[in-house]
Amino acid sequence: LAGMTGTAETEAEEFYKIYKLDVVVIPTNKPMIRQDLQDQIYKTEEAKFRAVAAEIKKRSERGQPVLVGTISIEKSEKLSRILKRLGVKHEVLNAKHHEREAKIIAQAGRPGNVTVATNMAGRGVDIVLGGSPFNKKEYEKVVKAGGLHVLGTERHEARRIDNQLRGRSGRQGDPGSSQFYVSMDDDLMRIFGGERMKKLMNTLRLPDDVPIEHPLISRSIESAQRKVEGYNFDIRKHLVEYDDVANKHRQAIYSKRRKILEGGDIHQEILDLMDDEARKEYEEKYNKVGKEIMDHIERMVYLRSIDTMWVEHLNALDLLREGIGLRGYGQRDPLVEYKAEAYALFQRLLGNINSQVVEILLKAEISPTPRQLAVERQPARVMQMRGADEQMAAGTFGNIEQEPAASSPLARENDSQPTSSGGVEVTVRKRGQGQPTTPPSGGIFPKVGRNDPCPCGSGKKYKKCHGR
């Protein structure tokens, strides 16, 4: 596993702790000469946006292209309205009009052009100084004005996103600059001490339009970003630890399925699950029906049992996970509790699979149908299974197309035609009843009301049985 990105350095700890991957910084192709200016901190958001608009106008008038980054479409449209009032010509990128925005990006590096973009709209774009196609005269004019200036209207929770925005400028050794404008009303500042700083500014009676610019403040903002990144990392790490539990279960179940699908011998495993009396009874049935047919039935029953029980197990894990956090109120580690209970659920899953496989195979009365006369041509295709419990059979053989009974006119008419599925006909009866009730040919019941008894004889309502 490997990858390449321009913003992985700030996430190096997470890459190593979760994926065991080191982050290596590759030097740039050409020296990076972009100037990253100190943040400008304002008391209110309105004062910040007025200052941003004034800075954009000043740089645009001297021929420097400006890329403005906002955190949302709402903020980009708000800034756009302010720029219109100041008479500043600009373009807005908010991922609404893709074809038009591709043309806007191509010309965003022209002298004096102003582009307002959200993070997603401006992500990954390569702005060519002077515009596209390359124009040397325009390029030199932009370089003389200082290159592309990136202006961020707010600090983001992750330094990685700020670095992505800064990285639009100063590419391939081109000149450029970047600067962020922050207010005490921004989300990040409100969470991490913005109110205290706002009270200090009020105490000093600083006007709204006078910014604070100091390296100490910029460092404290980056410290706040690191705290948010650490908090988000802990959430993701915790999520991975929970997922690892289900992943270990998945590996065990899938390896079992793979062995069966690849034709592994499971007959002995099934015998080991039975006691002496049941083993003797099953061996007689196995020898009577034949190895090839019984091996096919064993694989089919085992796979269906695994699949149906595995889905129920995943649902049980989801329900367990929803409420396990409440164990913390009892001074217990929810993760430790989850692992212990998930292990117990998994052991129960294995036991249920084994029990269902054994019960179905022991209760199924397998006898050859008239089509067995053609056993030399298709030995494993025509079988009739009787006596399986209705719930287990419904889950185990639900996708097998039933063939018409041999005594029906339809069966006699089609007797010479080959079967269309695996060749197992399933007849289901309710536990305790003497004679099974065979569903109509083709497995299709006559029209039955949803609340009427199911024609299969299970005693259940149709909507709870074959009407699902």
Side-chain angles (χ1 to χ4, degrees):
L1 180 64
M4 183 177 291
T5 174
T7 55
E9 187 178 8
T10 57
E11 315 299 326
E13 180 185 3
E14 182 170 349
F15 276 116
Y16 184 76
K17 287 188 175 180
I18 294 183
Y19 304 105
K20 298 294 183 288
L21 294 175
D22 292 317
V23 174
V24 178
V25 179
I26 300 174
T28 56
N29 180 39
K30 296 181 180 179
M32 203 272 290
I33 60 174
R34 183 187 67 234
Q35 293 181 334
D36 295 328
L37 305 176
Q38 295 294 338
D39 295 352
Q40 297 274 331
I41 295 96
Y42 288 83
K43 188 162 70 172
T44 65
E45 186 177 71
E46 293 301 324
K48 177 187 73 174
F49 273 110
R50 288 197 299 269
V52 166
E55 180 71 9
I56 293 171
K57 183 177 182 181
K58 181 182 75 173
R59 290 183 178 271
S60 176
E61 287 176 348
R62 74 183 191 201
Q64 186 176 15
V66 181
L67 174 65
V68 185
T70 61
I71 64 167
S72 66
I73 294 176
E74 178 188 359
K75 295 291 177 68
S76 67
E77 292 176 345
K78 178 179 180 179
L79 180 59
S80 177
R81 290 192 293 270
I82 297 174
L83 292 175
K84 284 179 181 177
R85 288 199 296 268
L86 293 177
V88 178
K89 187 178 178 180
H90 63 282
E91 297 284 357
V92 179
L93 297 177
N94 50 27
K96 286 185 176 180
H97 310 287
H98 301 292
E99 292 184 6
R100 180 172 173 271
E101 291 182 6
K103 297 178 181 178
I104 293 173
I105 292 171
Q107 303 304 324
R110 292 180 63 84
N113 278 16
V114 176
T115 308
V116 180
T118 59
N119 293 325
M120 290 305 296
R123 199 171 194 167
V125 299
D126 193 2
I127 298 175
V128 180
L129 299 188
S132 181
F134 179 75
N135 185 311
K136 188 174 182 179
K137 185 177 180 181
E138 296 285 296
Y139 172 80
E140 291 176 351
K141 187 176 179 181
V142 170
V143 169
K144 187 176 180 181
L148 178 67
H149 180 68
V150 172
L151 196 154
T153 60
E154 190 169 334
R155 282 280 196 166
H156 303 85
E157 289 186 349
R159 291 169 294 163
R160 174 176 53 84
I161 302 177
D162 288 345
N163 292 338
Q164 284 174 338
L165 182 59
R166 288 189 194 273
R168 300 310 98 204
S169 176
R171 300 169 76 88
Q172 292 296 323
D174 287 336
S177 56
S178 68
Q179 190 171 29
F180 281 88
Y181 282 63
V182 182
S183 77
M184 296 300 136
D185 296 331
D186 293 347
D187 293 338
L188 185 69
M189 298 302 293
R190 282 191 294 103
I191 296 172
F192 292 96
E195 288 297 325
R196 292 197 305 271
M197 198 172 293
K198 195 171 184 177
K199 288 179 182 178
L200 177 62
M201 296 175 79
N202 288 331
T203 302
L204 297 175
R205 296 184 180 180
L206 290 175
D208 291 353
D209 57 350
V210 174
I212 300 176
E213 181 179 344
H214 196 279
L216 180 62
I217 297 177
S218 297
R219 285 197 295 271
S220 38
I221 292 174
E222 288 189 2
S223 175
Q225 289 177 311
R226 278 193 290 270
K227 290 179 182 178
V228 175
E229 289 170 359
Y231 174 73
N232 292 334
F233 167 55
D234 288 340
I235 293 176
R236 290 191 292 270
K237 186 180 178 183
H238 211 53
L239 185 66
V240 169
E241 289 173 341
Y242 276 96
D243 286 344
D244 280 344
V245 176
N247 193 45
K248 289 177 181 177
H249 297 179
R250 186 178 295 109
Q251 289 172 355
I253 290 295
Y254 281 22
S255 63
K256 181 72 173 176
R257 289 189 84 256
R258 192 176 300 111
K259 177 184 176 182
I260 298 171
L261 289 170
E262 292 174 352
D265 185 13
I266 59 172
H267 177 62
Q268 187 58 47
E269 290 185 23
I270 293 174
L271 291 178
D272 293 340
L273 299 174
M274 303 177 183
D275 56 30
D276 294 339
E277 185 178 349
R279 188 181 299 118
K280 183 178 178 182
E281 178 187 343
Y282 183 68
E283 283 284 29
E284 291 177 0
K285 182 188 299 184
Y286 186 88
N287 295 329
K288 179 181 177 182
V289 176
K291 181 180 186 304
E292 186 176 355
I293 294 173
M294 286 304 298
D295 285 349
H296 172 71
I297 293 173
E298 286 176 350
R299 284 196 297 272
M300 182 172 60
V301 170
Y302 224 133
L303 286 172
R304 282 296 175 183
S305 299
I306 288 174
D307 291 347
T308 53
M309 294 289 188
W310 174 242
V311 172
E312 293 175 6
H313 178 69
L314 291 178
N315 291 333
L317 287 180
D318 286 340
L319 290 174
L320 174 64
R321 189 166 171 177
E322 284 180 8
I324 201 68
L326 297 175
R327 304 287 178 91
Y329 290 109
Q331 303 301 310
R332 297 181 179 179
D333 187 343
L335 181 60
V336 174
E337 295 286 306
Y338 178 77
K339 288 180 178 179
E341 296 210 16
Y343 178 77
L345 286 174
F346 185 66
Q347 294 302 313
R348 191 176 73 180
L349 165 70
L350 298 179
N352 289 343
I353 291 174
N354 294 337
S355 299
Q356 178 167 307
V357 169
V358 170
E359 188 168 355
I360 290 176
L361 291 175
L362 286 176
K363 288 187 175 182
E365 297 176 7
I366 306 170
S367 59
T369 65
R371 296 191 194 182
Q372 195 69 18
L373 298 174
V375 69
E376 293 82 8
R377 287 183 286 114
Q378 42 183 15
R381 296 177 70 90
V382 186
M383 293 299 300
Q384 187 176 31
M385 296 185 66
R386 301 180 185 275
D389 178 81
E390 72 279 356
Q391 293 179 354
M392 294 182 181
T396 306
F397 306 106
N399 74 329
I400 298 174
E401 298 180 14
Q402 293 180 328
E403 302 173 12
S407 59
S408 69
L410 182 59
R412 288 194 296 271
E413 178 182 339
N414 297 330
D415 191 54
S416 61
Q417 297 180 5
T419 57
S420 59
S421 67
V424 178
E425 182 179 290
V426 182
T427 303
V428 179
R429 70 180 176 191
K430 189 175 180 180
R431 188 176 300 175
Q433 287 185 341
Q435 293 296 327
T437 303
T438 304
S441 62
I444 302 172
F445 293 120
K447 189 168 184 180
V448 182
R450 284 176 50 77
N451 292 310
D452 294 339
C454 186
C456 75
S458 66
K460 298 180 180 180
K461 290 183 179 181
Y462 180 66
K463 66 181 181 182
K464 296 289 187 180
C465 191
H466 285 81
R468 288 184 177 178

